[in-house]
Amino acid sequence: MDDFLDEKTNATALGIAGGKALNLYLMQQAGAPVPKWFALPVHYFNQVYADLKASILAEIQKVSLSNLDSLKTCAQNIEELFLKTKLSPEFKAEIKARISSDKSYAVRSSAAGEDGEKNSYAGQLASFLNCKNDEIFEAILKVWASIFSERNIQYRILNEIHSTPEVGVVIQELIEVQSSGVMFTAHPLLKEGYLDQVVINAGYGLGEGVVTDQVEVDSYIYSKSQKKLIEHKHALKKHMMVSKATGPGLELIAVDSSKENISVLSHTQISELVSFGLRLEKFYQVEQDIEWCVDKNGKIYLTQTRPITTLLKGTNKLDFLFDNSNIVESFPGVNTPWTLGQVKDIYRVAFKRTCLRLGFGRRRVNENNFLFASLLGMYRGRVYLNLTHWYAMMRMIPYTDGYIKSWEESLGVEIKNESSSTSSFQDLFRAINVFSRGVYFLLSLDFYLRKLDQRLQATFQEFWEQEKSHKALTPAEAINELEAFKAKMFEDSEFTLINDIFAFAFTSITKRLIQKCTVLEPDETFNRLLFGRQQMDSIKPLLSLQNLIKLVNENEKLKSALAGLVEEKDFKIELLQTIPNSGQFLREFNEHLDLYGDRGVNELKLETVTFRENPKHLIELILSFKQHDNGQDHTKNEEIGDIPINGKFKKLVFQLCLKLAIRSIVYRENFRLNRTRMYGVIRRMTNNLGHKLNALGAIDNPRDIYFLDKEDLYQFYSGLSFDFDLKSIVLHKKQLFYQYQKVEVFNRYTFRQGKLTEIKPEFVSSKHIKGTGCAAGRVSGEAIVIRELGELAKDVTLVKDKILVAQMTDPGWVFLMANAKGLLVEKGSLLSHTAIIGRELGIPTIVGASNATEIIKTGDQIELDAHTGVVRILND
């Protein structure tokens, strides 16, 4: 019975055919075009080896490592033993049924782990090209015998290995090629920016000539971030490797003189190759070394892929530090591929525009495209700051060490960062240019941000009005609309980031003045100065919600009717209109959805189902919510005049810095709501696009779009990846998504020599925890530790009169935070969202309390002192 394996075989079963067979299967699952193949399971080798084992071991025992001729003789004798083996007629018949008599085939070894990242037998087993008909049987026997090559026998003896690796065999159709070569999805020489560079070496004829350096090649370097060819080294092509006209094997022949000076690959072929390469890199989640060929009709095939070994062994590998401080607020837990792709794109464009606006220099910025493209790191679905590149970006301008310290402090990033110094005239001129622009934007920021806010509101309103008209767009048109919207949102968005720079800088300066000119504690005093100064937009959704709660609580019939509606299986928003005397509630409910429907838990994760997407959740929240009153007697707001700073000039400087800090903090928080609305529009566009793809049969469910990378979809519709099956991509990434949810990750990693290494936090078992106090007041009560919101998002009464303890919060937690007695989080700083909301709500709040969720358990009695940042566990 035919038990050979191919692309239709279950992936689990393919393990019995060795690593190369499984790899070919995975390549096809990733959408790569692979020449037709089938594989022989390892048990065929095992049957033959079992009969020859005694004779083979007897030959090996004759070997003397001091006599190299004995190694050679041993290998030859063992090969002869295999070649004398009679293959069964049934076995030969099964192979002949799968091959064509007029085609040539490659017969390749497929041992377990042979194409892995590191393996003693990698590259040591034989492969035979240009085999036809009965030549295939001899090639199979030689592949099996190659496990006992001279080098492998020597390795076996030196390391006292007594077992023998099982060898499968892959038989693959040999493409009649016009060109072939290798492609690396990162520069294997580890030059600056190497991860951004795809390197392609291409020669005429079969790839064997390229990998053995027997033919001249053209070399191409493609930039991932710039999406274009940035270097082409042209060679005079004199030789090419081809199959022999008679018998197995290859031979070198001369290249036709008309092709000697012509580029081996066209721009279209380069783009298509890069597209395939990046897809495999994402699929395997490591940079790839890929062998490829182009047939006589110009079609590209990929024949093999493996991890780039130099990235794993190189000593000059660049080091990166990944940290989830601050960013985890916005993108907690595991994110879908669609969110990760869009977010990375948004960060790249926004920070690049900011640097250009501040005068970093267009040439200097463009030279660092890869830096901006990788400000974020993605690991197991989580989002991290690539701190190495953040520091590199900030140090594009000299004399920034003072600001970097303020940035670290404001974002809660703890790192011993070495300072840099510079003294050249060019550096000084560049710094003066940036500083002068900074002063200009400091003076004109109000104008630019008010103008930006007005334009954003108009753009949001325009979209939601158009969205109601249900425009008929093709998927390609919907993609263009999404990118056009993002471009419009990016316009002048850099002013919000420039405002953040001022917020960090003036907050730091103000606290340093307090420390230098008074005996007061800087953090505590600054908190009191901020508390209640100006209502921020982040509180408006809560105020709107509380108004809806009041309307419901004052009308028992309305409350009862809403409770009945949410029990309906097929809830529809239109059902609200059937409730008698609900006109005012309905108007304000719809207004809340229009203005704040995108604000909620995990609101920046595009896959999140928000109140706008499912209004039923908002009604459930209203019914569970209680009016906020934590009953705390908070310290009065601090007045500037109360700060004992001597000297008119010092006091004037202090007042100015505090005013600028408060202005920037208020703007920073207000524009968070605009950011939420922007992501809400992108979410709705994504959902609409998902429905279109589902209607066309490209995906099984509209929400499957979130399991596609933006490049998956964009390349699919650009024609570069028309062979790809989106459904198989979705299936693979869904499996990864759910696997990642079960895997623990750490807050910080280093990346060195191709390996991620976790930096585990130092755990100190203590009943005294210290953080940064962010809202005045002292409170004691029962703790509730929250790691995943789950049903808490719908029933906030579970935190009523309790102290909420979490690793971090995001803006959507405001509804939950308002019901809590106190807030304690492991992440955050004075300018984090938790700190600002805690101050605005008047709830005692402490951030940056390391290990809080590990030390404190739900039900513990704890005390928060938001003046000092000290937490005490009161349990005996």
Side-chain angles (χ1 to χ4, degrees):
M1 182 177 178
D2 184 356
D3 61 350
F4 295 168
L5 310 170
D6 55 28
E7 73 277 2
K8 297 176 183 178
T9 307
N10 182 279
T12 306
L14 276 166
I16 64 172
K20 194 173 269 94
L22 179 59
N23 209 26
L24 289 170
Y25 171 85
L26 292 174
M27 288 170 68
Q28 288 180 301
Q29 290 300 301
V34 174
K36 189 175 179 180
W37 63 277
F38 65 96
L40 313 183
V42 297
H43 67 75
Y44 286 108
F45 166 80
N46 293 338
Q47 290 169 6
V48 172
Y49 176 64
D51 294 336
L52 301 177
K53 184 175 180 180
S55 300
I56 289 173
L57 294 180
E59 290 291 339
I60 292 175
Q61 299 227 343
K62 298 176 185 177
V63 172
S64 169
L65 293 182
S66 61
N67 182 356
L68 295 181
D69 286 340
S70 69
L71 271 174
K72 184 176 181 180
T73 301
C74 178
Q76 290 174 342
N77 290 342
I78 292 175
E79 183 177 87
E80 284 299 318
L81 289 173
F82 275 95
L83 290 175
K84 290 177 182 177
T85 300
K86 300 296 183 181
L87 297 173
S88 71
E90 295 81 8
F91 177 78
K92 290 184 175 182
E94 288 172 4
I95 290 178
K96 286 188 174 182
R98 284 178 172 261
I99 64 174
S100 175
S101 60
D102 59 347
K103 290 184 178 180
S104 294
Y105 292 86
V107 181
R108 303 177 184 274
S109 63
S110 182
E114 185 183 355
D115 283 334
E117 295 175 1
K118 48 185 179 179
N119 187 287
S120 304
Y121 293 98
Q124 301 307 311
L125 304 183
S127 291
F128 298 91
L129 304 180
N130 195 29
C131 301
K132 294 181 178 180
N133 301 317
D134 289 348
E135 294 167 349
I136 292 175
F137 305 131
E138 182 178 334
I140 291 171
L141 294 170
K142 286 185 175 181
V143 167
W144 287 340
S146 68
I147 197 66
F148 299 103
S149 66
E150 294 176 48
R151 179 168 174 176
N152 289 342
I153 293 171
Q154 183 184 46
Y155 181 85
R156 179 189 181 107
I157 296 172
L158 285 172
N159 292 278
E160 297 182 355
I161 296 173
H162 302 293
S163 61
T164 299
E166 298 177 311
V167 184
V169 177
V170 169
I171 299 174
Q172 190 169 28
E173 186 177 318
L174 197 62
I175 302 298
E176 191 176 356
V177 305
Q178 63 178 5
S179 61
S180 53
V182 294
M183 170 171 57
F184 303 92
T185 62
H187 203 303
L189 298 183
L190 310 180
K191 296 179 178 179
E192 183 177 357
Y194 67 99
L195 289 176
D196 182 50
Q197 297 175 357
V198 178
V199 179
I200 301 173
N201 291 330
Y204 289 120
L206 292 166
E208 189 72 13
V210 176
V211 298
T212 57
D213 295 324
Q214 295 184 66
V215 304
E216 301 81 10
V217 298
D218 283 351
S219 178
Y220 310 87
I221 298 180
Y222 182 96
S223 168
K224 299 176 188 176
S225 59
Q226 298 180 53
K227 297 184 178 179
K228 67 177 184 180
L229 195 65
I230 58 174
E231 186 178 313
H232 174 199
K233 291 183 178 178
H234 188 76
L236 182 66
K237 277 77 66 179
K238 288 285 190 179
H239 304 90
M240 61 189 292
M241 184 80 74
V242 297
S243 300
K244 286 183 178 178
T246 57
L250 309 175
E251 62 180 345
L252 274 177
I253 65 170
V255 172
D256 189 294
S257 59
S258 63
K259 294 182 177 181
E260 289 180 351
N261 290 298
I262 297 176
S263 175
V264 174
L265 294 174
S266 68
H267 279 279
T268 301
Q269 289 170 332
I270 292 169
S271 297
E272 194 171 353
L273 264 175
V274 169
S275 174
F276 290 135
L278 296 184
R279 176 163 297 284
L280 289 179
E281 179 182 280
K282 290 175 183 176
F283 185 85
Y284 288 101
Q285 296 193 324
V286 66
E287 292 78 10
Q288 295 291 298
D289 170 0
I290 300 165
E291 294 180 23
W292 56 269
C293 63
V294 180
D295 73 6
K296 295 292 185 180
N297 298 316
K299 182 175 180 179
I300 292 175
Y301 290 93
L302 306 188
T303 57
Q304 190 166 296
T305 189
R306 64 175 69 87
I308 301 176
T309 55
T310 55
L311 296 188
L312 302 171
K313 298 174 182 176
T315 56
N316 59 336
K317 174 76 172 179
L318 297 181
D319 291 347
F320 296 112
L321 176 62
F322 295 102
D323 188 290
N324 68 359
S325 297
N326 187 260
I327 194 74
V328 73
E329 264 189 10
S330 301
F331 305 99
V334 180
N335 299 263
T336 59
W338 184 263
T339 290
L340 296 177
Q342 296 291 342
V343 168
K344 200 169 183 180
D345 198 31
I346 288 169
Y347 267 72
R348 174 182 62 81
V349 175
F351 281 94
K352 185 174 180 179
R353 286 182 63 99
T354 301
C355 291
L356 289 171
R357 181 74 74 170
L358 285 173
F360 280 35
R362 185 168 297 276
R363 180 179 175 183
R364 188 175 179 84
V365 168
N366 287 336
E367 286 174 350
N368 286 276
N369 268 324
F370 177 59
L371 184 152
F372 292 103
S374 51
L375 289 172
L376 299 182
M378 312 297 176
Y379 177 56
R380 291 180 170 174
R382 277 77 167 188
V383 183
Y384 290 79
L385 299 177
N386 181 347
L387 291 183
T388 306
H389 278 188
W390 281 83
Y391 287 121
M393 176 179 67
M394 290 186 281
R395 287 209 166 101
M396 287 170 67
I397 297 302
Y399 314 111
T400 54
D401 291 315
Y403 172 73
I404 288 174
K405 290 178 181 177
S406 301
W407 178 83
E408 291 172 337
E409 181 182 282
S410 298
L411 265 65
V413 175
E414 298 177 5
I415 181 172
K416 292 181 180 178
N417 180 49
E418 296 180 3
S419 62
S420 63
S421 59
T422 183
S423 57
S424 72
F425 177 78
Q426 186 179 13
D427 288 336
L428 179 62
F429 177 79
R430 189 182 299 120
I432 292 172
N433 180 44
V434 173
F435 178 77
S436 61
R437 287 190 180 221
V439 171
Y440 167 75
F441 291 129
L442 178 64
L443 299 175
S444 56
L445 195 62
D446 283 313
F447 167 76
Y448 282 113
L449 289 180
R450 281 199 299 269
K451 184 179 176 182
L452 175 60
D453 184 63
Q454 291 170 0
R455 187 172 61 76
L456 288 175
Q457 301 308 324
T459 303
F460 294 142
Q461 186 66 28
E462 179 186 4
F463 171 80
W464 291 115
E465 289 298 325
Q466 290 180 356
E467 207 261 349
K468 292 175 184 176
S469 67
H470 303 290
K471 291 186 295 183
L473 299 175
T474 66
E477 290 170 339
I479 291 172
N480 287 334
E481 184 185 52
L482 174 57
E483 289 304 304
F485 172 78
K486 283 164 56 180
K488 197 170 184 180
M489 289 295 95
F490 286 139
E491 190 178 340
D492 297 334
S493 63
E494 61 269 22
F495 289 113
T496 64
L497 297 178
I498 292 171
N499 175 71
D500 286 352
I501 293 172
F502 294 143
F504 300 155
F506 286 110
T507 294
S508 180
I509 293 171
T510 303
K511 290 197 297 180
R512 284 188 174 87
L513 286 171
I514 294 171
Q515 185 177 36
K516 187 175 181 181
C517 301
T518 74
V519 294
L520 301 174
E521 203 285 321
D523 286 345
E524 181 186 341
T525 305
F526 186 73
N527 271 319
R528 295 205 305 269
L529 288 167
L530 284 184
F531 178 59
R533 289 257 165 216
Q534 182 176 341
Q535 189 182 94
M536 301 182 191
D537 285 352
S538 290
I539 301 300
K540 290 180 180 178
L542 179 61
L543 297 177
S544 172
L545 181 69
Q546 288 179 331
N547 189 52
L548 290 171
I549 294 165
K550 183 179 179 183
L551 290 174
V552 171
N553 288 338
E554 290 175 349
N555 188 335
E556 285 299 326
K557 290 184 178 180
L558 173 62
K559 190 173 185 178
S560 177
L562 290 175
L565 279 182
V566 295
E567 295 299 323
E568 296 281 346
K569 277 189 176 181
D570 298 324
F571 172 87
K572 294 182 180 178
I573 186 67
E574 293 79 10
L575 293 174
L576 291 177
Q577 298 174 4
T578 65
I579 300 176
N581 302 318
S582 61
Q584 182 181 358
F585 172 81
L586 188 58
R587 285 193 302 274
E588 297 194 20
F589 184 85
N590 287 330
E591 183 179 353
H592 183 95
L593 287 179
D594 285 342
L595 294 176
Y596 313 118
D598 303 305
R599 171 125 291 181
V601 177
N602 297 336
E603 61 188 27
L604 298 188
K605 297 172 72 168
L606 296 174
E607 62 270 17
T608 296
V609 179
T610 62
F611 296 140
R612 190 189 296 276
E613 305 301 321
N614 190 343
K616 178 181 177 180
H617 291 168
L618 179 58
I619 297 174
E620 290 172 333
L621 183 66
I622 291 169
L623 293 172
S624 73
F625 211 94
K626 307 296 181 186
Q627 292 289 349
H628 168 63
D629 178 16
N630 58 29
Q632 299 302 311
D633 180 20
H634 301 294
T635 306
K636 71 178 181 68
N637 298 349
E638 194 79 50
E639 296 295 334
I640 295 177
D642 297 336
I643 307 300
I645 295 180
N646 297 322
K648 290 185 178 179
F649 178 74
K650 287 182 181 178
K651 195 157 193 171
L652 184 64
V653 171
F654 172 76
Q655 291 172 345
L656 177 62
C657 289
L658 178 62
K659 181 179 179 181
L660 291 172
I662 292 173
R663 179 191 74 165
S664 294
I665 290 170
V666 171
Y667 273 134
R668 172 177 161 82
E669 197 61 26
N670 288 350
F671 272 93
R672 282 179 186 262
L673 192 55
N674 279 332
R675 181 185 62 176
T676 299
R677 289 170 176 157
M678 174 184 171
Y679 277 74
V681 173
I682 295 175
R683 179 182 292 110
R684 182 57 64 91
M685 287 181 166
T686 301
N687 290 340
N688 292 341
L689 183 54
H691 282 286
K692 294 179 187 300
L693 292 172
N694 176 241
L696 292 173
I699 55 178
D700 291 326
N701 185 294
R703 290 192 61 80
D704 282 352
I705 189 173
Y706 289 106
F707 295 96
L708 294 171
D709 187 284
K710 68 184 286 281
E711 293 300 324
D712 292 333
L713 193 57
Y714 292 7
Q715 290 183 17
F716 181 86
Y717 273 101
S718 69
L720 290 178
S721 52
F722 52 85
D723 287 337
F724 298 159
D725 178 3
L726 294 184
K727 292 181 182 180
S728 66
I729 296 171
V730 167
L731 178 62
H732 171 68
K733 293 189 176 179
K734 270 188 179 180
Q735 291 172 339
L736 287 178
F737 180 82
Y738 293 117
Q739 286 173 15
Y740 291 158
Q741 289 181 327
K742 301 174 185 176
V743 178
E744 180 187 5
V745 297
F746 293 93
N747 299 329
R748 181 172 288 187
Y749 287 86
T750 58
F751 182 69
R752 180 178 176 82
Q753 296 184 22
K755 290 185 178 180
L756 274 174
T757 304
E758 66 270 16
I759 302 178
K760 297 181 180 179
E762 182 180 352
F763 180 78
V764 180
S765 180
S766 170
K767 289 194 174 185
H768 297 278
I769 303 167
K770 183 74 166 63
T772 301
C774 299
R778 178 182 293 175
V779 65
S780 59
E782 181 184 342
I784 178 169
V785 179
I786 300 175
R787 289 184 172 83
E788 294 290 339
L789 278 185
E791 290 303 308
L792 279 174
K794 301 176 185 178
D795 184 5
V796 296
T797 59
L798 295 175
V799 301
K800 181 66 176 172
D801 296 326
K802 295 178 183 177
I803 297 174
L804 190 159
V805 184
Q807 292 181 323
M808 51 78 208
T809 69
D810 66 46
W813 286 49
V814 64
F815 307 122
L816 194 67
M817 295 158 71
N819 253 25
K821 198 175 187 180
L823 305 173
L824 174 64
V825 297
E826 294 181 348
K827 296 285 184 180
S829 65
L830 283 174
L831 299 189
S832 66
H833 185 77
T834 305
I836 290 169
I837 294 301
R839 277 194 294 266
E840 290 302 301
L841 294 176
I843 299 173
T845 302
I846 295 176
V847 301
S850 299
N851 301 320
T853 60
E854 297 296 326
I855 298 171
I856 297 171
K857 309 299 179 187
T858 294
D860 283 348
Q861 292 293 318
I862 64 174
E863 179 187 79
L864 307 187
D865 187 341
H867 291 291
T868 62
V870 172
V871 183
R872 292 177 59 231
I873 299 177
L874 305 178
N875 302 342
D876 292 335

